[in-house]
Amino acid sequence: EVALVESGGGLVQPGRSLRLSCAASGFTFDDYAMHWVRQAPGRGLEWVSGLSWNSGRIGYADSVKGRFAISRDNARNSLYLQMDSLRIEDTALYYCVKDMDQLPLFLDSWGQGTLVAVSS
Amino acid sequence: EIVMTQSPATLSVSPGERATLSCRASQSVNTNLAWYQQKPGQAPRLLIYAAFTRATGIPARFSGSGSGTEFTLTISSLQSEDFAIYYCQQYHDWPPLTFGGGTKVEI
């Protein structure tokens, strides 16, 4: 069974950094693209970033481009999101999500999320 | 960026009734369209991909249709566990992947 467990969230001041991690199990991690999707309190879903199985294709939402960096370690079955220059509007529940394909397409398994709160 | 628009924002239906949810893309996405269900306090779940293919374990009462810019998710006979928020998402043009704003199906 697919399991995605996020960690690294917390309360942080504007302008500071956080690094989210996602531990994956139950599937062949390096066969699939992976993503981060966030959901602000009471709001809809916003795709943040994704990368292909071999990190050859990486993409970001405009709202985080230049501030966030996604990466993966296939040897450790892990996905990461380095978040710099955090803003209040980055406050959200961040989901680690498995794609159904090697290239970014759609999102077939979701973690339970890790909460990031940006506040002074 | 392809903008996805869902309607209505809220749909009030009774158990056993049929629910029809709409999703419109700002440009053609062919059939590169997925639907997700999210219940309160839970992560989203994939329902439909490629516009009309049900994901593993999804009941047959859920069906998707459409292509190009107009898509529909139909729930043929609403069960109590179907009351949730539904999102569409295009994957025709990436980055970014884009979601609609969601339709809340309520009693």
Side-chain angles (χ1 to χ4, degrees), chain A residues 35 37 39 43-47 50-51 57-62 95 99-100 104-108 110-112, chain B residues 1 32 34 36 38 41-46 48-50 56 87 89-91 94-101:
Chain A
H35 304 263
V37 175
Q39 188 168 35
R43 305 295 297 273
L45 301 173
E46 180 187 17
W47 178 83
L51 75 176
R57 293 192 65 187
I58 294 177
Y60 298 95
D62 284 347
Y95 292 104
D99 203 288
M100 201 164 182
L105 290 178
F106 52 90
L107 315 169
D108 79 332
W110 298 63
Q112 288 304 303
Chain B
E1 173 176 326
N32 298 312
Y36 303 86
Q38 187 177 32
Q42 295 185 19
R45 175 174 71 146
L46 177 67
I48 301 280
Y49 60 94
T56 303
Y87 296 94
Q89 175 239 322
Q90 68 81 22
Y91 51 95
W94 174 95
L97 300 179
T98 49
F99 291 93

Coordinates of all heavy atoms in Angstrom, one line a residue, chain A residues 35 37 39 43-47 50-51 57-62 95 99-100 104-108 110-112, chain B residues 1 32 34 36 38 41-46 48-50 56 87 89-91 94-101:
Chain A
H35 N 5.0 15.4 -6.5 CA 4.5 16.8 -6.5 C 4.3 17.2 -5.0 O 4.2 16.4 -4.1 CB 3.1 16.9 -7.2 CG 3.1 16.5 -8.6 ND1 3.2 17.3 -9.6 CD2 2.9 15.2 -9.1 CE1 3.1 16.6 -10.7 NE2 2.9 15.3 -10.4
V37 N 1.5 19.8 -3.3 CA 0.2 20.6 -3.5 C -0.1 21.2 -2.2 O 0.0 20.5 -1.1 CB -0.9 19.7 -4.0 CG1 -2.2 20.4 -4.1 CG2 -0.5 19.1 -5.4
Q39 N -2.9 23.7 0.4 CA -4.2 24.1 0.6 C -4.3 25.1 1.7 O -4.0 24.6 2.9 CB -5.2 22.9 0.8 CG -6.6 23.2 0.9 CD -7.5 22.0 0.8 OE1 -7.1 20.9 1.4 NE2 -8.6 22.1 0.2
R43 N -9.6 27.0 1.8 CA -9.4 27.3 0.4 C -9.3 26.1 -0.4 O -9.3 25.0 0.1 CB -8.2 28.2 0.2 CG -8.2 29.5 1.0 CD -9.3 30.5 0.6 NE -9.3 30.9 -0.7 CZ -8.5 32.0 -1.1 NH1 -7.9 32.7 -0.2 NH2 -8.5 32.4 -2.4
G44 N -9.2 26.3 -1.7 CA -9.0 25.1 -2.6 C -7.6 24.7 -2.8 O -6.7 25.1 -2.0
L45 N -7.4 23.8 -3.7 CA -6.1 23.1 -3.9 C -5.2 24.0 -4.9 O -5.7 24.5 -5.9 CB -6.3 21.7 -4.6 CG -7.1 20.8 -3.7 CD1 -7.4 19.5 -4.5 CD2 -6.4 20.4 -2.4
E46 N -3.9 24.1 -4.5 CA -3.0 24.8 -5.4 C -1.8 24.0 -5.6 O -1.1 23.6 -4.6 CB -2.6 26.2 -4.8 CG -1.6 26.9 -5.6 CD -1.0 28.2 -5.0 OE1 -1.1 28.3 -3.7 OE2 -0.5 29.0 -5.7
W47 N -1.5 23.6 -6.8 CA -0.3 22.9 -7.2 C 0.9 23.8 -7.0 O 0.9 25.0 -7.4 CB -0.3 22.4 -8.6 CG 0.9 21.7 -9.1 CD1 1.2 20.4 -8.9 CD2 2.0 22.3 -9.8 NE1 2.4 20.1 -9.5 CE2 2.9 21.3 -10.1 CE3 2.2 23.6 -10.4 CZ2 4.1 21.5 -10.8 CZ3 3.4 23.8 -11.1 CH2 4.3 22.8 -11.3
G50 N 6.4 20.2 -9.0 CA 6.5 18.8 -9.3 C 7.7 18.5 -10.1 O 8.4 19.4 -10.7
L51 N 8.1 17.2 -10.1 CA 9.3 16.8 -10.8 C 9.1 15.4 -11.4 O 8.4 14.6 -10.7 CB 10.6 16.9 -10.0 CG 11.0 16.0 -9.0 CD1 12.3 16.3 -8.4 CD2 10.0 15.8 -7.9
R57 N 12.6 16.8 -15.4 CA 11.7 17.9 -15.7 C 11.2 18.4 -14.3 O 10.7 17.6 -13.5 CB 10.5 17.4 -16.5 CG 10.9 17.1 -17.9 CD 9.6 16.9 -18.8 NE 8.9 18.1 -18.9 CZ 7.7 18.2 -19.5 NH1 7.1 17.1 -20.0 NH2 7.0 19.3 -19.6
I58 N 11.3 19.7 -14.1 CA 10.9 20.3 -12.8 C 10.1 21.5 -13.1 O 10.4 22.3 -14.1 CB 12.1 20.7 -12.0 CG1 12.9 19.4 -11.5 CG2 11.7 21.5 -10.8 CD1 14.1 19.7 -10.7
G59 N 9.0 21.7 -12.4 CA 8.2 22.9 -12.6 C 7.7 23.5 -11.3 O 7.6 22.8 -10.3
Y60 N 7.3 24.8 -11.4 CA 6.9 25.5 -10.2 C 5.7 26.4 -10.5 O 5.6 26.9 -11.7 CB 8.0 26.4 -9.6 CG 9.2 25.7 -9.2 CD1 10.3 25.5 -10.0 CD2 9.3 25.1 -7.9 CE1 11.4 24.8 -9.6 CE2 10.4 24.4 -7.5 CZ 11.5 24.3 -8.3 OH 12.6 23.6 -7.9
A61 N 4.8 26.6 -9.6 CA 3.8 27.6 -9.7 C 4.5 29.0 -9.7 O 5.5 29.2 -9.0 CB 2.8 27.5 -8.6
D62 N 3.9 29.9 -10.4 CA 4.5 31.3 -10.4 C 4.6 31.9 -9.0 O 5.5 32.6 -8.7 CB 3.6 32.2 -11.3 CG 3.9 31.9 -12.8 OD1 4.8 31.2 -13.1 OD2 3.0 32.4 -13.6
Y95 N 0.7 19.0 0.9 CA 0.6 17.6 0.6 C 1.7 17.1 -0.3 O 2.1 17.8 -1.3 CB -0.7 17.3 -0.1 CG -2.0 17.5 0.7 CD1 -2.8 18.6 0.5 CD2 -2.4 16.6 1.6 CE1 -4.0 18.8 1.2 CE2 -3.6 16.7 2.3 CZ -4.3 17.9 2.1 OH -5.5 18.0 2.8
D99 N 2.4 10.9 -8.5 CA 1.8 10.9 -9.8 C 1.5 9.5 -10.2 O 2.0 8.5 -9.7 CB 2.8 11.6 -10.8 CG 2.1 12.2 -12.0 OD1 1.6 11.4 -12.9 OD2 2.0 13.4 -12.1
M100 N 0.8 9.4 -11.3 CA 0.4 8.1 -11.9 C 1.4 7.7 -13.0 O 1.3 6.6 -13.5 CB -1.0 8.1 -12.4 CG -1.6 6.7 -12.5 SD -3.4 6.8 -12.7 CE -3.8 5.1 -12.8
P104 N 5.0 14.4 -15.0 CA 3.9 15.0 -14.3 C 2.6 15.0 -15.1 O 2.5 15.6 -16.2 CB 4.4 16.5 -14.1 CG 5.9 16.3 -14.1 CD 6.2 15.3 -15.1
L105 N 1.6 14.4 -14.5 CA 0.3 14.3 -15.1 C -0.8 14.6 -14.1 O -1.2 15.7 -13.9 CB 0.1 12.9 -15.7 CG 0.9 12.6 -17.0 CD1 0.6 11.2 -17.4 CD2 0.6 13.6 -18.1
F106 N -1.2 13.5 -13.4 CA -2.2 13.7 -12.4 C -1.9 12.9 -11.1 O -0.9 12.1 -11.1 CB -3.6 13.3 -12.9 CG -3.7 12.0 -13.6 CD1 -4.0 10.9 -12.8 CD2 -3.4 11.8 -14.9 CE1 -4.0 9.6 -13.4 CE2 -3.4 10.6 -15.5 CZ -3.7 9.5 -14.7
L107 N -2.6 13.1 -10.1 CA -2.1 12.9 -8.7 C -2.9 11.7 -8.1 O -4.1 11.9 -7.7 CB -2.3 14.2 -8.0 CG -1.8 15.4 -8.7 CD1 -2.3 16.7 -8.0 CD2 -0.3 15.4 -8.9
D108 N -2.3 10.5 -8.0 CA -3.1 9.4 -7.6 C -3.0 9.0 -6.2 O -3.8 8.1 -5.8 CB -2.9 8.2 -8.6 CG -1.6 7.5 -8.3 OD1 -0.7 8.1 -7.8 OD2 -1.6 6.3 -8.7
W110 N -2.1 10.6 -2.2 CA -1.8 11.8 -1.4 C -1.4 11.5 0.0 O -1.9 10.5 0.6 CB -3.0 12.7 -1.3 CG -3.5 13.2 -2.6 CD1 -4.0 12.5 -3.7 CD2 -3.6 14.6 -3.0 NE1 -4.4 13.3 -4.7 CE2 -4.2 14.6 -4.3 CE3 -3.3 15.8 -2.4 CZ2 -4.4 15.8 -5.1 CZ3 -3.6 17.0 -3.1 CH2 -4.1 17.0 -4.4
G111 N -0.4 12.2 0.6 CA -0.2 12.1 2.0 C -1.2 12.9 2.8 O -2.2 13.4 2.3
Q112 N -1.0 12.9 4.1 CA -2.0 13.6 5.0 C -1.6 15.1 5.2 O -2.4 15.8 5.7 CB -2.1 12.9 6.3 CG -2.9 11.6 6.3 CD -4.2 11.8 5.6 OE1 -5.1 12.5 6.1 NE2 -4.5 11.0 4.6
Chain B
E1 N -1.0 30.1 -18.8 CA -1.6 29.2 -17.8 C -3.1 28.9 -18.1 O -3.8 29.8 -18.5 CB -1.5 29.8 -16.4 CG -2.3 29.0 -15.3 CD -2.1 29.6 -13.9 OE1 -1.0 30.2 -13.6 OE2 -3.0 29.6 -13.1
N32 N -7.2 15.6 -21.1 CA -6.2 15.5 -20.1 C -6.8 16.2 -18.8 O -6.3 17.3 -18.4 CB -4.9 16.2 -20.5 CG -4.3 15.5 -21.7 OD1 -4.2 14.3 -21.7 ND2 -3.9 16.2 -22.7
A34 N -8.6 15.5 -14.8 CA -8.8 14.6 -13.7 C -9.8 15.2 -12.7 O -9.9 16.4 -12.7 CB -7.5 14.3 -13.0
Y36 N -11.1 15.0 -8.5 CA -10.8 14.6 -7.2 C -11.9 14.8 -6.3 O -12.7 15.8 -6.4 CB -9.5 15.3 -6.7 CG -8.3 15.2 -7.6 CD1 -8.1 16.0 -8.6 CD2 -7.4 14.2 -7.3 CE1 -7.0 15.9 -9.5 CE2 -6.3 14.0 -8.1 CZ -6.1 14.9 -9.2 OH -5.0 14.7 -10.0
Q38 N -12.7 15.5 -2.1 CA -12.1 15.8 -0.8 C -13.2 15.9 0.3 O -14.1 16.8 0.1 CB -11.3 17.1 -0.8 CG -10.5 17.3 0.5 CD -9.6 18.5 0.5 OE1 -9.9 19.5 -0.2 NE2 -8.5 18.4 1.2
G41 N -11.4 17.3 6.5 CA -10.3 16.8 7.3 C -9.5 15.7 6.6 O -8.7 15.1 7.3
Q42 N -9.8 15.4 5.3 CA -9.1 14.4 4.6 C -8.3 14.9 3.4 O -8.6 16.0 2.9 CB -10.1 13.3 4.1 CG -10.8 12.5 5.2 CD -11.6 11.4 4.7 OE1 -11.5 11.0 3.6 NE2 -12.5 10.9 5.5
A43 N -7.3 14.2 3.0 CA -6.6 14.5 1.7 C -7.6 14.2 0.6 O -8.5 13.4 0.6 CB -5.4 13.7 1.6
P44 N -7.3 14.9 -0.6 CA -8.1 14.6 -1.8 C -7.9 13.1 -2.2 O -6.8 12.5 -1.9 CB -7.6 15.6 -2.8 CG -7.0 16.7 -2.0 CD -6.5 16.0 -0.8
R45 N -8.8 12.6 -3.0 CA -8.7 11.3 -3.6 C -9.0 11.4 -5.1 O -10.0 12.0 -5.5 CB -9.7 10.4 -2.9 CG -9.8 9.0 -3.5 CD -10.7 8.1 -2.7 NE -12.1 8.4 -2.8 CZ -13.1 7.5 -2.8 NH1 -12.8 6.2 -2.7 NH2 -14.4 7.8 -2.9
L46 N -8.2 10.7 -5.9 CA -8.4 10.7 -7.3 C -9.6 9.9 -7.6 O -9.8 8.7 -7.2 CB -7.2 10.1 -8.0 CG -7.3 9.9 -9.5 CD1 -7.3 11.3 -10.2 CD2 -6.1 9.1 -10.0
I48 N -11.3 10.3 -11.2 CA -11.4 10.1 -12.6 C -10.1 10.7 -13.2 O -9.6 11.7 -12.8 CB -12.6 10.9 -13.2 CG1 -13.9 10.4 -12.6 CG2 -12.6 10.8 -14.7 CD1 -14.5 9.1 -13.2
Y49 N -9.6 10.0 -14.3 CA -8.5 10.6 -15.0 C -8.8 10.4 -16.5 O -9.7 9.6 -16.9 CB -7.1 10.1 -14.6 CG -7.0 8.6 -14.8 CD1 -6.4 8.1 -16.0 CD2 -7.3 7.7 -13.8 CE1 -6.2 6.7 -16.1 CE2 -7.2 6.4 -13.9 CZ -6.6 5.8 -15.1 OH -6.5 4.5 -15.2
A50 N -8.1 11.1 -17.4 CA -8.3 11.0 -18.8 C -9.8 11.3 -19.1 O -10.3 10.7 -20.0 CB -7.8 9.7 -19.4
T56 N -8.8 3.3 -9.6 CA -9.0 2.0 -8.9 C -9.9 2.2 -7.7 O -9.7 3.1 -6.9 CB -7.6 1.5 -8.5 OG1 -6.8 1.3 -9.7 CG2 -7.8 0.1 -7.8
Y87 N -13.0 18.6 -7.1 CA -12.1 19.5 -7.9 C -11.7 18.8 -9.3 O -11.5 17.6 -9.3 CB -10.8 19.7 -7.2 CG -10.9 20.4 -5.9 CD1 -11.0 19.7 -4.7 CD2 -10.8 21.8 -5.8 CE1 -11.1 20.4 -3.4 CE2 -10.9 22.5 -4.6 CZ -11.1 21.8 -3.4 OH -11.2 22.4 -2.2
Q89 N -8.9 19.1 -12.5 CA -7.5 19.5 -12.7 C -7.1 19.1 -14.1 O -7.3 18.0 -14.6 CB -6.6 18.7 -11.7 CG -5.1 19.0 -11.9 CD -4.3 17.7 -12.1 OE1 -4.6 16.6 -11.5 NE2 -3.3 17.8 -13.0
Q90 N -6.4 20.0 -14.8 CA -5.9 19.8 -16.1 C -4.4 19.4 -16.0 O -3.7 19.9 -15.2 CB -6.1 21.0 -17.0 CG -5.3 22.2 -16.7 CD -3.9 22.1 -17.2 OE1 -3.6 21.4 -18.2 NE2 -3.0 22.9 -16.6
Y91 N -4.0 18.5 -16.9 CA -2.6 18.2 -17.0 C -2.2 18.2 -18.5 O -1.2 17.5 -18.9 CB -2.3 16.8 -16.3 CG -3.2 15.6 -16.7 CD1 -2.8 14.8 -17.8 CD2 -4.4 15.4 -16.1 CE1 -3.6 13.7 -18.1 CE2 -5.2 14.3 -16.4 CZ -4.8 13.5 -17.4 OH -5.6 12.4 -17.8
W94 N 1.8 21.8 -18.8 CA 2.5 21.8 -17.5 C 3.9 22.4 -17.7 O 4.6 22.0 -18.7 CB 2.6 20.4 -17.0 CG 3.5 20.2 -15.7 CD1 3.0 20.2 -14.4 CD2 4.9 20.0 -15.7 NE1 4.0 20.0 -13.6 CE2 5.2 19.9 -14.3 CE3 5.9 19.9 -16.6 CZ2 6.5 19.7 -13.8 CZ3 7.2 19.7 -16.1 CH2 7.5 19.6 -14.8
P95 N 4.5 23.1 -16.8 CA 3.8 23.7 -15.6 C 3.0 24.9 -16.0 O 3.3 25.6 -17.0 CB 5.0 24.0 -14.7 CG 6.1 24.4 -15.6 CD 5.9 23.5 -16.8
P96 N 2.0 25.3 -15.2 CA 1.6 24.5 -13.9 C 0.5 23.6 -14.2 O -0.3 23.7 -15.1 CB 1.1 25.7 -13.1 CG 0.5 26.6 -14.0 CD 1.3 26.5 -15.3
L97 N 0.3 22.6 -13.3 CA -0.9 21.9 -13.2 C -1.9 22.8 -12.6 O -1.5 23.5 -11.6 CB -0.8 20.6 -12.4 CG 0.3 19.6 -12.8 CD1 0.3 18.4 -11.8 CD2 -0.1 19.1 -14.2
T98 N -3.1 22.8 -13.0 CA -4.1 23.8 -12.5 C -5.4 23.1 -12.1 O -5.9 22.2 -12.8 CB -4.4 25.0 -13.4 OG1 -4.7 24.4 -14.7 CG2 -3.2 25.9 -13.5
F99 N -5.9 23.5 -11.0 CA -7.2 23.0 -10.4 C -8.3 24.1 -10.6 O -8.0 25.3 -10.6 CB -7.1 22.8 -8.9 CG -6.1 21.7 -8.5 CD1 -4.8 21.9 -8.2 CD2 -6.6 20.4 -8.4 CE1 -4.0 20.9 -7.8 CE2 -5.8 19.3 -8.0 CZ -4.5 19.6 -7.7
G100 N -9.5 23.5 -10.7 CA -10.7 24.4 -10.5 C -10.9 24.8 -9.1 O -10.2 24.3 -8.2
G101 N -11.8 25.7 -8.9 CA -12.0 26.2 -7.5 C -12.8 25.3 -6.6 O -12.9 25.5 -5.4

